[in-house]
Amino acid sequence: ISNVYRGPYAESESESRVYRQLWAKYKPKHYLNIHTFASRQIWWADTKYANEPNKTEDKQYFLEVYNKYKQLAIQRGQPYYAVSNDGGTGNYGMSPYYYHRIYSWSIEIDTITPPYSEIPIVLDNWLPFFITLSQESETSLITPTMGIILIGLGVFLVYLIAKS
């Protein structure tokens, strides 16, 4: 067993296979992983297990997204945190980037796991980053079919309210 992954080989774990199926099916532009136990910072992953060189245009894109986040945080009067390339050790973000060119990010939200009551406060500090990733995403969560279902549900709810 490796100190990099927990199964007999990379991506042998069932949850890794499920993630890979989801990435292939939905093709998101960004993947975000949230961690604790390190100082607040942002990592991006753009290699696979340190075997591949960084793609220059992707490195530039990661930095552009980071700069947009930083500007938004300043504009909102919120803290912003440092960014760094992960370095590629076979972690959370290598596979989505390598196999699907999904831009993979990880944030370290704090050095400790906050109590549940403080999670909204901690996550609020990261709101500018979440907003930036959302604005950068090209994948809509509401597809035309989902829109029709939501409209139908809305009409049905109006009918039920009117009837009662």
Side-chain angles (χ1 to χ4, degrees):
I1 293 189
S2 168
N3 64 351
V4 175
Y5 48 83
R6 298 290 181 209
Y9 54 88
E11 299 178 16
S12 62
E13 305 86 352
S14 58
E15 62 272 19
S16 297
R17 291 192 305 272
V18 169
Y19 270 122
R20 209 159 152 201
Q21 291 169 357
L22 290 170
W23 294 323
K25 181 176 180 178
Y26 293 105
K27 299 174 181 34
K29 185 170 184 177
H30 297 274
Y31 168 71
L32 177 63
N33 195 310
I34 299 175
H35 288 240
T36 59
F37 297 111
S39 60
R40 293 179 185 181
Q41 59 187 317
I42 301 168
W43 301 95
W44 81 74
D46 61 350
T47 60
K48 183 183 181 196
Y49 315 124
N51 296 332
E52 299 244 332
N54 298 337
K55 292 181 172 78
T56 302
E57 68 273 9
D58 289 343
K59 183 176 181 178
Q60 290 170 344
Y61 177 73
F62 280 111
L63 292 173
E64 287 172 17
V65 170
Y66 174 75
N67 286 326
K68 288 178 183 180
Y69 148 70
K70 184 176 172 180
Q71 289 172 352
L72 181 61
I74 291 169
Q75 182 182 41
R76 293 172 57 93
Q78 290 187 266
Y80 60 89
Y81 306 104
V83 68
S84 179
N85 182 325
D86 188 278
T89 56
N91 61 22
Y92 66 91
M94 303 304 162
S95 295
Y97 179 81
Y98 182 77
Y99 292 110
H100 304 287
R101 200 154 179 237
I102 297 168
Y103 296 102
S104 299
W105 303 86
S106 179
I107 61 174
E108 299 286 352
I109 63 170
D110 215 329
T111 55
I112 60 166
T113 302
Y116 287 121
S117 62
E118 293 179 22
I119 289 176
I121 297 164
V122 171
L123 293 180
D124 184 62
N125 286 331
W126 288 98
L127 190 58
F129 189 66
F130 301 150
I131 291 169
T132 303
L133 287 187
S134 177
Q135 290 172 340
E136 287 294 317
S137 295
E138 296 170 351
T139 304
S140 174
L141 293 177
I142 299 183
T143 63
T145 303
M146 184 68 118
I148 291 168
I149 291 169
L150 289 174
I151 290 169
L153 181 59
V155 169
F156 180 69
L157 289 174
V158 168
Y159 167 77
L160 287 178
I161 292 168
K163 191 172 178 175
S164 60

